[in-house]
Amino acid sequence: MNSSFFGRLKIFFAERFPVVLGFITTLIGTISLYLVWCAITPGAALVLNKSIYLAIFSFFALTVILRLCDEIKDKEVDAILFPERCLPKGLVLYEDIHKLLLIIGWVWVPINYIFGGAPIIFTILIFYTYLFYKYFFLPNIISNNLILALITHNPLMFVGCFYILALFSVEQGLSVYSAKNFFLALAFWMPSMGWETARKIRAPKDETDYTTYSKVMGTVASTALPLGAFLVQLIAFSLLADMLHYGLYFILGAMTLYILYFTVFLFFMLKQTSRLANSLQQTTEAYILFVSILIIVISVAELAK
């Protein structure tokens, strides 16, 4: 085992949370959120201010915090089902994860309270994150119920997205609690829901002791979770895009992408093969990427007109 704390963290991040990829994902998501917010919000200006930097830092820190929380919460399960991973294998200590979680928390919290300007929403986000970490103080019930865990845990990303929008709104003196911010937060939450569910769908012959949505709900019914999540996103974006000059182009592009995404899942529902099941997570990630690119392109065109 590596004797250095930072050496062990390097092993952890290389295996469990690639930092560069995670940061790029956060950067793209935050920029696309800011651009579309500027495009649809009356009075908003496309300016480079501290809220952008704070939003990128805060959201990236949140994703790392949630990853660390999950590692701690999954300690017993990983020891049984994934003994080859760095933590159960002993290459990284759980003490390291606790220590890193404290370090990030002690930076993340004061920075947002000092520079954020939306203390109420941030307090809600902290409280929700703590409940996430504690399994809502019902570990024996929620940890053994995948659907209940999804319902209780995944909406945290909605609160996170709404907080980022609050940072933008406060910085420019605009309303935080607007319908536009609500629907934007909803739309940007849905990729988390879609990705989380799509990655836990398997072909019937590939099911193991590991709990998946397909094992709990059935192979076909489980596909309704990611498909439904992205349909909600499509509807939310369509309602918002209706007020844009180039909104129709966005709606047509988004509908085309959704049809292609749906087609992959339809083939899986019909064939239920391992190859198709193994492609669902990658297909979902590609869909999220292309929708993000579409958002950026349309938003830039809208702001430049």
Side-chain angles (χ1 to χ4, degrees):
M1 183 181 70
N2 196 311
S3 60
S4 165
F5 170 68
F6 292 104
R8 293 193 297 271
L9 287 185
K10 183 178 179 180
I11 294 172
F12 170 77
F13 282 114
E15 178 186 310
R16 305 297 298 142
F17 190 91
V19 175
V20 174
L21 178 61
F23 181 77
I24 291 173
T25 301
T26 299
L27 184 65
I28 293 173
T30 306
I31 290 175
S32 61
L33 181 57
Y34 181 57
L35 288 173
V36 71
W37 176 80
C38 288
I40 68 169
T41 304
L46 182 61
V47 292
L48 197 62
N49 52 40
K50 69 177 176 63
S51 68
I52 307 300
Y53 300 111
L54 182 58
I56 294 169
F57 163 75
S58 295
F59 210 74
F60 179 65
L62 178 62
T63 60
V64 177
I65 287 170
L66 296 183
R67 178 70 266 158
L68 297 176
C69 289
D70 274 337
E71 295 295 338
I72 295 169
K73 290 159 59 181
D74 293 342
K75 181 178 180 179
E76 294 181 2
V77 174
D78 285 353
I80 298 171
L81 297 179
F82 304 105
E84 73 283 357
R85 289 179 177 174
C86 60
L87 279 159
K89 196 173 181 180
L91 298 177
V92 180
L93 304 177
Y94 281 95
E95 177 186 336
D96 298 330
I97 304 304
H98 283 282
K99 188 182 297 183
L100 181 60
L101 187 57
L102 285 173
I103 292 171
I104 295 175
W106 278 108
V107 176
W108 183 60
V109 171
I111 282 181
N112 279 278
Y113 274 126
I114 294 170
F115 300 107
I120 295 176
I121 300 174
F122 185 64
T123 300
I124 294 172
L125 179 59
I126 293 174
F127 184 62
Y128 204 150
T129 303
Y130 183 70
L131 291 176
F132 176 99
Y133 174 64
K134 287 293 186 179
Y135 267 124
F136 288 75
F137 296 100
L138 298 169
N140 294 331
I141 297 175
I142 295 180
S143 64
N144 294 311
N145 189 316
L146 191 62
I147 303 301
L148 186 57
L150 180 70
I151 293 171
T152 55
H153 286 53
N154 204 262
L156 174 60
M157 297 310 294
F158 171 80
V159 181
C161 291
F162 195 84
Y163 175 64
I164 297 305
L165 291 166
L167 293 178
F168 300 154
S169 301
V170 169
E171 180 77 7
Q172 298 199 27
L174 300 172
S175 173
V176 172
Y177 303 98
S178 66
K180 293 183 181 67
N181 282 1
F182 174 83
F183 281 111
L184 267 182
L186 177 66
F188 276 81
W189 162 32
M190 286 298 104
S192 172
M193 175 76 77
W195 180 81
E196 174 62 26
T197 52
R199 73 188 184 94
K200 293 182 181 178
I201 297 175
R202 294 181 178 178
K205 67 176 184 177
D206 296 329
E207 297 289 4
T208 63
D209 291 336
Y210 183 67
T211 305
T212 62
Y213 292 101
S214 50
K215 187 176 181 179
V216 172
M217 302 176 62
T219 309
V220 175
S222 60
T223 61
L225 295 175
L227 289 175
F230 288 116
L231 180 59
V232 169
Q233 183 192 48
L234 177 61
I235 294 171
F237 274 140
S238 297
L239 292 173
L240 294 170
D242 188 55
M243 62 189 73
L244 298 176
H245 181 76
Y246 297 107
L248 180 60
Y249 295 100
F250 175 81
I251 293 172
L252 291 175
M255 288 181 64
T256 301
L257 289 172
Y258 184 80
I259 290 170
L260 293 173
Y261 182 73
F262 181 87
T263 301
V264 174
F265 276 73
L266 179 61
F267 275 113
F268 169 70
M269 286 186 274
L270 295 173
K271 303 292 185 179
Q272 299 188 22
T273 63
S274 299
R275 183 179 64 83
L276 286 171
N278 294 335
S279 72
L280 297 182
Q281 179 177 338
Q282 290 76 19
T283 300
T284 300
E285 291 168 352
Y287 176 79
I288 294 171
L289 175 62
F290 282 112
V291 170
S292 296
I293 292 172
L294 179 63
I295 291 170
I296 292 173
V297 170
I298 296 298
S299 297
V300 169
E302 194 72 26
L303 292 166
K305 74 177 191 303

